[in-house]
Amino acid sequence: MAMLKVTQYSAWRCNLLSFRANNKKAQWIISRQFHGSAAKAAVKPFLLADIGEGIKEVQIIQWFVQPGARVEQFDKLCEVQSDKAATEITSRFDGVIKKLHYEAEDMAQVGRPLCDIDIQGDIAPEDEALTTLPAGQAGSPTDAQQPHKAAEHYWQEQQQTEEAEAHRMAQKSSKHGVLTTPAVRGLLKELSIDISQVTGTGRDGRVLKDDVNKFAANRHHSSQQPLDSTSVSSLESSHEGQNETRIPLTPVQTQMFKTMTRSLSIPHFLYADEIDFSRLSALRKRLNTLPSTPQKLSYLPFIVKAVSIALAEFPVLNARVEVSPPDSNGKDKPEPPRLILRKIINIGVAMDTPQGLLVPVIKDVSSLSINDITSRVTHLQSLALSSKLSASDLTGGTFTVSNIGSIGGTYVSPIIVPNAVAILGIGKARDVPAFGDNGEVIRKTVGNFSWSADHRIVDGATVARVGERVRVLIEEPGTMLAGMR
């Protein structure tokens, strides 16, 4: 091979980046840099950037691109689900997709390549981190001779898997080409159905829940065979042991596992009371008949507002505990625990979603009216059902309200999350017989409020006073409306 001669200039640097074999033809990719600006036509790994909140891995929900697809800046590459929210990853470069490192439902690691892009344009200095492989993955960056070896080593590894990847893609229809929602993917996983086997009837071939149910029903029907008594006996004797299947936790379950495990270190104090909803129920019904009411009101916005008023009067329940970890060497004495008071009241509302339990946060509740809270709850519910909650929607909470009664159950023992000192669980509202002021039997609408508090910080008397304050606000809603700003 003829020697490549490159004229040296003081302002120019020429680096041999990579060698790649394609169809048995060697291609040398030369990248020129001018004062640190990367050259054009360079195949680079596109790394999954840190999306914050300490997230180390995400699940690939779906790909919007395939190998060979041309992309531009801000084009969508894929949708990922972290343990907090679903996020769409967009391209920072113009170029052509060369390879996808993951399939749908795979777990992708932060800082590792998502895909390879043949970048057709300059790489801005601030975007260099998105294409730089982690130290130790393709050579040590501290060696001055390593840039050449690292790139060559990386592409040699890619070449070794290229033929196997092409064969696998030919044998199996690509999962990233099938569109569906995370809820449907969860149903597919639960029923052990390969999404590529299901014919989607939705828009653009999207697989719907009905498609999965029909596929499962047809599979079950085709697998059924009439069994005589002999075969039934044989089956029973051959399945005496339990049939167990190990499946990984979903991202939401993983986060719940971590959070609840940390919550075990908090000594819980439980306080419960019965609340009379009769007056609030009558007020709610009257407001819902008014044409000026923008949307139907439930009990929840009133409860959230009443809790915010009580938290403003008892700020200790809106605080968090700061505990310094012990020194690893055991030499320095850890600082004593401190209570961090928080002025703004952000109330998280636990919601049952297709992905599992999520707690989106209503920010600065003290500044909101009942109608404002209703609009925020409705908006967050819509985002949760469509898996569009952002990390911002799920962070910043100072107190949590769990309305488990909307599903069922009279009593609940809620568990405190580590960044708070209290939580309120609401049981189902129900009609019960009661005695009136003159001893007559009347019908009342009641519900149970269950408070859990961190007994390291909050004493029982304080919880009782807060609970009593909320009870008065709910049972006499006029006092709550009169005190609103």
Side-chain angles (χ1 to χ4, degrees):
M1 181 180 293
M3 296 295 294
L4 292 177
K5 295 183 179 181
V6 181
T7 304
Q8 301 293 327
Y9 296 97
S10 59
W12 288 80
R13 294 187 297 115
C14 181
N15 292 328
L16 175 63
L17 285 186
S18 59
F19 171 81
R20 187 180 187 185
N22 185 17
N23 296 328
K24 299 182 180 180
K25 294 181 181 180
Q27 297 179 347
W28 289 92
I29 300 175
I30 305 297
S31 174
R32 293 187 174 183
Q33 297 182 338
F34 179 72
H35 291 295
S37 179
K40 300 181 178 180
V43 180
K44 292 275 192 176
F46 182 81
L47 308 185
L48 175 60
D50 185 2
I51 57 180
E53 300 296 328
I55 295 171
K56 300 300 182 183
E57 63 179 7
V58 297
Q59 184 179 35
I60 304 294
I61 300 301
Q62 60 177 321
W63 284 98
F64 300 113
V65 296
Q66 299 181 21
R70 182 173 295 277
V71 295
E72 297 179 354
Q73 290 188 50
F74 308 115
D75 282 353
K76 293 187 293 185
L77 297 178
C78 63
E79 181 183 12
V80 301
Q81 172 72 52
S82 71
D83 52 19
K84 294 183 179 295
T87 305
E88 291 179 347
I89 304 297
T90 58
S91 175
R92 298 290 293 271
F93 313 104
D94 297 338
V96 177
I97 301 297
K98 289 298 186 181
K99 179 183 177 181
L100 306 180
H101 287 265
Y102 301 95
E103 289 192 20
E105 300 181 10
D106 287 349
M107 298 303 295
Q109 304 295 319
V110 171
R112 303 299 296 272
L114 271 178
C115 59
D116 295 338
I117 304 179
D118 187 354
I119 300 174
Q120 300 174 354
D122 292 337
I123 304 176
E126 60 269 20
D127 292 335
E128 279 287 347
L130 294 176
T131 62
T132 303
L133 292 170
Q137 181 173 324
S140 172
T142 59
D143 189 343
Q145 302 300 321
Q146 284 300 318
H148 308 284
K149 298 179 182 179
E152 183 176 350
H153 176 68
Y154 173 75
W155 287 118
Q156 284 176 347
E157 285 186 346
Q158 301 309 304
Q159 180 63 25
Q160 291 173 2
T161 60
E162 194 172 74
E163 292 184 4
E165 178 75 9
H167 177 72
R168 185 183 61 80
M169 295 297 291
Q171 295 294 326
K172 180 182 179 181
S173 60
S174 177
K175 290 183 180 180
H176 56 65
V178 183
L179 299 178
T180 189
T181 63
V184 176
R185 290 189 185 276
L187 180 61
L188 287 164
K189 182 176 293 186
E190 180 181 344
L191 298 177
S192 300
I193 297 175
D194 186 349
I195 190 173
S196 62
Q197 298 177 357
V198 183
T199 301
T201 60
R203 183 178 179 182
D204 299 327
R206 184 180 295 269
V207 175
L208 306 177
K209 185 177 181 180
D210 289 342
D211 299 331
V212 178
N213 290 331
K214 289 179 182 178
F215 181 88
N218 292 335
R219 183 180 65 176
H220 177 70
H221 178 73
S222 62
S223 64
Q224 283 185 332
Q225 298 291 339
L227 300 176
D228 55 24
S229 59
T230 304
S231 61
V232 171
S233 175
S234 176
L235 285 175
E236 289 178 350
S237 61
S238 63
H239 290 81
E240 292 178 353
Q242 178 62 267
N243 185 11
E244 297 180 341
T245 303
R246 289 181 174 85
I247 59 173
L249 299 180
T250 66
V252 172
Q253 288 174 327
T254 300
Q255 177 63 18
M256 186 164 60
F257 181 91
K258 295 175 182 177
T259 301
M260 292 297 99
T261 300
R262 294 197 303 269
S263 294
L264 289 175
S265 63
I266 302 174
H268 284 53
F269 170 81
L270 181 64
Y271 172 87
D273 197 6
E274 188 175 82
I275 310 298
D276 185 358
F277 281 86
S278 300
R279 290 188 177 89
L280 179 59
S281 177
L283 174 62
R284 186 177 65 89
K285 290 178 181 179
R286 288 199 304 271
L287 292 175
N288 284 335
T289 60
L290 298 178
S292 58
T293 302
Q295 50 190 317
K296 297 298 182 181
L297 301 173
S298 65
Y299 291 121
L300 184 59
F302 292 94
I303 296 172
V304 169
K305 188 62 183 180
V307 169
S308 73
I309 294 173
L311 293 180
E313 298 175 5
F314 297 89
V316 66
L317 264 68
N318 196 53
R320 66 178 177 87
V321 181
E322 184 178 76
V323 180
S324 300
D327 181 66
S328 59
N329 297 324
K331 296 180 179 180
D332 297 332
K333 184 177 180 181
E335 296 183 3
R338 290 174 291 187
L339 190 64
I340 308 300
L341 299 177
R342 298 179 286 197
K343 185 176 181 180
I344 298 177
I345 298 171
N346 302 327
I347 297 182
V349 179
M351 293 184 181
D352 179 38
T353 75
Q355 301 136 288
L357 172 65
L358 294 177
V359 188
V361 179
I362 305 172
K363 306 292 178 64
D364 197 8
V365 180
S366 298
S367 65
L368 303 179
S369 66
I370 299 296
N371 286 333
D372 292 335
I373 298 173
T374 301
S375 297
R376 300 287 177 89
V377 170
T378 302
H379 177 64
L380 291 172
Q381 284 176 331
S382 176
L383 293 177
L385 293 175
S386 60
S387 303
K388 296 298 182 182
L389 286 170
S390 66
S392 176
D393 296 325
L394 294 163
T395 55
T398 60
F399 188 90
T400 303
V401 172
S402 176
N403 186 21
I404 192 65
S406 61
I407 299 175
T410 305
Y411 308 100
V412 60
S413 178
I415 300 176
I416 307 166
V417 293
N419 67 332
V421 298
I423 184 175
L424 170 63
I426 304 169
K428 183 178 181 180
R430 64 200 189 280
D431 292 336
V432 298
F435 291 105
D437 295 337
N438 298 321
E440 72 279 15
V441 177
I442 60 175
R443 183 173 66 181
K444 282 187 177 182
T445 302
V446 300
N448 287 88
F449 280 17
S450 300
W451 301 79
S452 288
D454 186 342
H455 214 358
R456 299 173 301 177
I457 304 299
V458 185
D459 56 52
T462 301
V463 178
R465 292 186 181 98
V466 173
E468 183 66 12
R469 180 64 173 133
V470 171
R471 184 191 66 79
V472 172
L473 292 170
I474 296 297
E475 294 187 350
E476 299 290 345
T479 60
M480 176 168 52
L481 299 178
M484 287 177 54
R485 293 195 294 266

Short mmCIF file of all heavy atoms in Angstrom, two decimals, residues 61-62 64 76 78-81 84-88 180-182 206 353-355 358 360 379-394:
data_model
loop_
_atom_site.label_atom_id
_atom_site.label_comp_id
_atom_site.label_asym_id
_atom_site.label_seq_id
_atom_site.Cartn_x
_atom_site.Cartn_y
_atom_site.Cartn_z
N ILE A 61 -37.59 1.03 24.85
CA ILE A 61 -39.00 0.76 24.57
C ILE A 61 -39.20 0.50 23.09
O ILE A 61 -39.81 -0.49 22.69
CB ILE A 61 -39.89 1.94 25.03
CG1 ILE A 61 -39.73 2.15 26.54
CG2 ILE A 61 -41.34 1.67 24.68
CD1 ILE A 61 -40.11 0.95 27.38
N GLN A 62 -38.69 1.40 22.24
CA GLN A 62 -38.81 1.20 20.80
C GLN A 62 -37.77 2.06 20.10
O GLN A 62 -37.32 3.07 20.61
CB GLN A 62 -40.22 1.58 20.30
CG GLN A 62 -40.60 3.04 20.55
CD GLN A 62 -41.95 3.38 19.97
OE1 GLN A 62 -42.31 2.93 18.89
NE2 GLN A 62 -42.72 4.18 20.69
N PHE A 64 -36.89 4.27 16.64
CA PHE A 64 -37.52 5.01 15.55
C PHE A 64 -36.69 4.94 14.26
O PHE A 64 -37.10 5.46 13.23
CB PHE A 64 -37.71 6.49 15.94
CG PHE A 64 -38.58 6.68 17.15
CD1 PHE A 64 -38.05 7.18 18.34
CD2 PHE A 64 -39.93 6.36 17.13
CE1 PHE A 64 -38.84 7.36 19.46
CE2 PHE A 64 -40.73 6.52 18.24
CZ PHE A 64 -40.19 7.03 19.41
N LYS A 76 -35.64 11.83 16.23
CA LYS A 76 -35.80 10.85 17.30
C LYS A 76 -35.09 9.55 16.93
O LYS A 76 -35.27 9.02 15.83
CB LYS A 76 -37.28 10.58 17.57
CG LYS A 76 -38.03 11.77 18.14
CD LYS A 76 -39.44 11.41 18.55
CE LYS A 76 -40.30 11.08 17.34
NZ LYS A 76 -41.72 10.84 17.73
N CYS A 78 -34.71 6.80 19.59
CA CYS A 78 -35.41 5.74 20.31
C CYS A 78 -36.13 6.33 21.51
O CYS A 78 -35.93 7.48 21.88
CB CYS A 78 -34.43 4.65 20.77
SG CYS A 78 -33.18 5.23 21.96
N GLU A 79 -37.00 5.52 22.08
CA GLU A 79 -37.69 5.87 23.32
C GLU A 79 -37.21 4.92 24.41
O GLU A 79 -37.17 3.70 24.20
CB GLU A 79 -39.20 5.75 23.16
CG GLU A 79 -39.99 6.12 24.41
CD GLU A 79 -41.49 5.94 24.25
OE1 GLU A 79 -41.90 5.30 23.26
OE2 GLU A 79 -42.24 6.42 25.11
N VAL A 80 -36.83 5.46 25.56
CA VAL A 80 -36.33 4.65 26.66
C VAL A 80 -37.18 4.89 27.90
O VAL A 80 -37.79 5.94 28.06
CB VAL A 80 -34.85 4.98 26.97
CG1 VAL A 80 -33.98 4.73 25.74
CG2 VAL A 80 -34.69 6.42 27.44
N GLN A 81 -37.23 3.88 28.74
CA GLN A 81 -37.98 3.95 30.00
C GLN A 81 -37.00 3.78 31.15
O GLN A 81 -36.35 2.73 31.29
CB GLN A 81 -39.02 2.84 30.05
CG GLN A 81 -39.73 2.70 31.39
CD GLN A 81 -40.69 3.84 31.66
OE1 GLN A 81 -41.53 4.15 30.84
NE2 GLN A 81 -40.56 4.47 32.80
N LYS A 84 -38.03 6.15 36.36
CA LYS A 84 -38.85 7.29 36.72
C LYS A 84 -39.80 7.71 35.59
O LYS A 84 -40.93 8.08 35.85
CB LYS A 84 -37.97 8.49 37.10
CG LYS A 84 -37.17 8.28 38.38
CD LYS A 84 -36.40 9.51 38.75
CE LYS A 84 -35.62 9.31 40.04
NZ LYS A 84 -36.47 9.11 41.20
N ALA A 85 -39.33 7.69 34.34
CA ALA A 85 -40.16 8.21 33.26
C ALA A 85 -39.67 7.69 31.93
O ALA A 85 -38.56 7.18 31.80
CB ALA A 85 -40.15 9.74 33.27
N ALA A 86 -40.55 7.85 30.92
CA ALA A 86 -40.18 7.53 29.54
C ALA A 86 -39.59 8.78 28.89
O ALA A 86 -40.08 9.89 29.09
CB ALA A 86 -41.40 7.05 28.76
N THR A 87 -38.52 8.59 28.11
CA THR A 87 -37.82 9.71 27.48
C THR A 87 -37.47 9.33 26.05
O THR A 87 -37.12 8.19 25.77
CB THR A 87 -36.53 10.05 28.25
OG1 THR A 87 -36.85 10.30 29.62
CG2 THR A 87 -35.86 11.28 27.66
N GLU A 88 -37.58 10.31 25.14
CA GLU A 88 -37.17 10.10 23.76
C GLU A 88 -35.75 10.62 23.58
O GLU A 88 -35.44 11.76 23.93
CB GLU A 88 -38.13 10.80 22.80
CG GLU A 88 -39.52 10.16 22.76
CD GLU A 88 -40.47 10.88 21.82
OE1 GLU A 88 -40.12 12.01 21.39
OE2 GLU A 88 -41.54 10.32 21.50
N THR A 180 -45.63 -0.04 19.53
CA THR A 180 -46.66 -0.30 20.50
C THR A 180 -46.35 0.53 21.73
O THR A 180 -45.34 1.23 21.79
CB THR A 180 -46.73 -1.80 20.86
OG1 THR A 180 -47.89 -2.04 21.67
CG2 THR A 180 -45.49 -2.25 21.61
N THR A 181 -47.21 0.46 22.74
CA THR A 181 -47.03 1.23 23.96
C THR A 181 -46.36 0.37 25.02
O THR A 181 -46.38 -0.87 24.95
CB THR A 181 -48.38 1.72 24.50
OG1 THR A 181 -49.18 0.57 24.84
CG2 THR A 181 -49.11 2.54 23.44
N PRO A 182 -45.74 1.01 26.06
CA PRO A 182 -45.14 0.22 27.16
C PRO A 182 -46.14 -0.70 27.84
O PRO A 182 -45.77 -1.79 28.28
CB PRO A 182 -44.62 1.30 28.10
CG PRO A 182 -44.36 2.48 27.23
CD PRO A 182 -45.44 2.43 26.17
N ARG A 206 -49.19 -0.40 14.34
CA ARG A 206 -49.00 -0.44 15.80
C ARG A 206 -49.77 -1.61 16.39
O ARG A 206 -50.93 -1.85 16.05
CB ARG A 206 -49.46 0.86 16.42
CG ARG A 206 -49.22 0.95 17.92
CD ARG A 206 -49.71 2.29 18.47
NE ARG A 206 -48.93 3.39 17.92
CZ ARG A 206 -47.85 3.87 18.49
NH1 ARG A 206 -47.40 3.35 19.61
NH2 ARG A 206 -47.19 4.87 17.94
N THR A 353 -50.64 3.20 37.11
CA THR A 353 -50.43 3.38 35.68
C THR A 353 -50.12 2.03 35.03
O THR A 353 -49.85 1.05 35.73
CB THR A 353 -49.26 4.34 35.41
OG1 THR A 353 -48.01 3.67 35.67
CG2 THR A 353 -49.36 5.58 36.29
N PRO A 354 -50.15 1.96 33.69
CA PRO A 354 -49.80 0.69 33.03
C PRO A 354 -48.40 0.20 33.38
O PRO A 354 -48.13 -1.00 33.32
CB PRO A 354 -49.90 1.05 31.54
CG PRO A 354 -50.88 2.17 31.48
CD PRO A 354 -50.65 2.96 32.73
N GLN A 355 -47.49 1.11 33.76
CA GLN A 355 -46.13 0.72 34.12
C GLN A 355 -46.00 0.31 35.57
O GLN A 355 -44.99 -0.25 35.98
CB GLN A 355 -45.16 1.86 33.84
CG GLN A 355 -45.17 2.32 32.39
CD GLN A 355 -45.18 3.82 32.28
OE1 GLN A 355 -46.17 4.48 32.55
NE2 GLN A 355 -44.07 4.38 31.86
N LEU A 358 -46.61 5.09 40.05
CA LEU A 358 -45.83 6.31 39.82
C LEU A 358 -46.42 7.42 40.69
O LEU A 358 -47.61 7.41 41.01
CB LEU A 358 -45.87 6.73 38.34
CG LEU A 358 -45.19 5.79 37.35
CD1 LEU A 358 -45.38 6.29 35.92
CD2 LEU A 358 -43.70 5.64 37.66
N PRO A 360 -46.42 11.28 40.37
CA PRO A 360 -46.17 12.63 39.82
C PRO A 360 -46.46 13.69 40.87
O PRO A 360 -47.26 13.48 41.79
CB PRO A 360 -47.13 12.72 38.63
CG PRO A 360 -48.18 11.70 38.89
CD PRO A 360 -47.54 10.61 39.69
N HIS A 379 -54.05 16.52 34.04
CA HIS A 379 -52.95 16.56 33.09
C HIS A 379 -51.91 15.48 33.41
O HIS A 379 -51.44 14.76 32.51
CB HIS A 379 -52.30 17.93 33.12
CG HIS A 379 -51.10 18.07 32.23
ND1 HIS A 379 -51.16 17.96 30.86
CD2 HIS A 379 -49.78 18.29 32.52
CE1 HIS A 379 -49.96 18.11 30.34
NE2 HIS A 379 -49.10 18.31 31.32
N LEU A 380 -51.56 15.33 34.68
CA LEU A 380 -50.58 14.33 35.08
C LEU A 380 -51.10 12.92 34.86
O LEU A 380 -50.34 12.02 34.46
CB LEU A 380 -50.20 14.53 36.55
CG LEU A 380 -49.40 15.80 36.86
CD1 LEU A 380 -49.25 15.98 38.37
CD2 LEU A 380 -48.01 15.76 36.21
N GLN A 381 -52.39 12.70 35.10
CA GLN A 381 -52.97 11.39 34.83
C GLN A 381 -52.90 11.05 33.35
O GLN A 381 -52.59 9.91 32.98
CB GLN A 381 -54.43 11.35 35.31
CG GLN A 381 -54.58 11.23 36.82
CD GLN A 381 -56.02 11.29 37.26
OE1 GLN A 381 -56.88 11.90 36.60
NE2 GLN A 381 -56.33 10.65 38.37
N SER A 382 -53.16 12.04 32.52
CA SER A 382 -53.08 11.82 31.07
C SER A 382 -51.67 11.45 30.65
O SER A 382 -51.46 10.53 29.85
CB SER A 382 -53.56 13.07 30.33
OG SER A 382 -53.41 12.93 28.93
N LEU A 383 -50.68 12.17 31.18
CA LEU A 383 -49.29 11.86 30.86
C LEU A 383 -48.90 10.48 31.37
O LEU A 383 -48.17 9.74 30.69
CB LEU A 383 -48.37 12.92 31.47
CG LEU A 383 -48.46 14.34 30.90
CD1 LEU A 383 -47.54 15.27 31.67
CD2 LEU A 383 -48.11 14.36 29.41
N ALA A 384 -49.38 10.13 32.55
CA ALA A 384 -49.02 8.83 33.13
C ALA A 384 -49.59 7.68 32.31
O ALA A 384 -48.92 6.68 32.06
CB ALA A 384 -49.53 8.75 34.57
N LEU A 385 -50.83 7.81 31.85
CA LEU A 385 -51.46 6.75 31.08
C LEU A 385 -50.82 6.58 29.72
O LEU A 385 -50.84 5.48 29.15
CB LEU A 385 -52.97 7.02 30.93
CG LEU A 385 -53.79 6.95 32.22
CD1 LEU A 385 -55.23 7.35 31.96
CD2 LEU A 385 -53.74 5.54 32.80
N SER A 386 -50.25 7.64 29.17
CA SER A 386 -49.59 7.57 27.86
C SER A 386 -48.08 7.43 27.98
O SER A 386 -47.37 7.55 26.99
CB SER A 386 -49.93 8.81 27.03
OG SER A 386 -49.52 10.00 27.69
N SER A 387 -47.60 7.19 29.22
CA SER A 387 -46.16 7.00 29.48
C SER A 387 -45.33 8.20 29.04
O SER A 387 -44.22 8.05 28.52
CB SER A 387 -45.65 5.73 28.78
OG SER A 387 -46.38 4.61 29.20
N LYS A 388 -45.84 9.41 29.25
CA LYS A 388 -45.16 10.62 28.82
C LYS A 388 -44.70 11.49 29.99
O LYS A 388 -44.32 12.64 29.79
CB LYS A 388 -46.08 11.45 27.92
CG LYS A 388 -46.44 10.77 26.61
CD LYS A 388 -45.21 10.50 25.75
CE LYS A 388 -45.58 9.87 24.43
NZ LYS A 388 -44.37 9.56 23.61
N LEU A 389 -44.75 10.96 31.22
CA LEU A 389 -44.28 11.73 32.36
C LEU A 389 -42.78 11.96 32.24
O LEU A 389 -42.01 11.04 31.93
CB LEU A 389 -44.59 11.00 33.66
CG LEU A 389 -46.05 10.99 34.13
CD1 LEU A 389 -46.22 10.02 35.29
CD2 LEU A 389 -46.52 12.38 34.52
N SER A 390 -42.36 13.19 32.49
CA SER A 390 -40.94 13.51 32.45
C SER A 390 -40.34 13.35 33.84
O SER A 390 -41.06 13.21 34.84
CB SER A 390 -40.74 14.95 31.96
OG SER A 390 -41.27 15.88 32.89
N ALA A 391 -39.01 13.41 33.90
CA ALA A 391 -38.34 13.33 35.20
C ALA A 391 -38.75 14.49 36.09
O ALA A 391 -38.86 14.35 37.31
CB ALA A 391 -36.82 13.31 35.01
N SER A 392 -38.99 15.66 35.49
CA SER A 392 -39.42 16.82 36.27
C SER A 392 -40.79 16.59 36.90
O SER A 392 -41.06 17.08 38.01
CB SER A 392 -39.46 18.06 35.37
OG SER A 392 -39.96 19.18 36.06
N ASP A 393 -41.67 15.86 36.20
CA ASP A 393 -43.01 15.58 36.75
C ASP A 393 -42.95 14.66 37.95
O ASP A 393 -43.88 14.63 38.76
CB ASP A 393 -43.90 14.94 35.68
CG ASP A 393 -44.18 15.87 34.51
OD1 ASP A 393 -44.30 17.08 34.74
OD2 ASP A 393 -44.26 15.38 33.36
N LEU A 394 -41.87 13.90 38.08
CA LEU A 394 -41.80 12.86 39.10
C LEU A 394 -40.84 13.19 40.24
O LEU A 394 -40.62 12.35 41.12
CB LEU A 394 -41.37 11.54 38.45
CG LEU A 394 -42.38 10.94 37.48
CD1 LEU A 394 -41.72 9.90 36.58
CD2 LEU A 394 -43.55 10.32 38.22
#
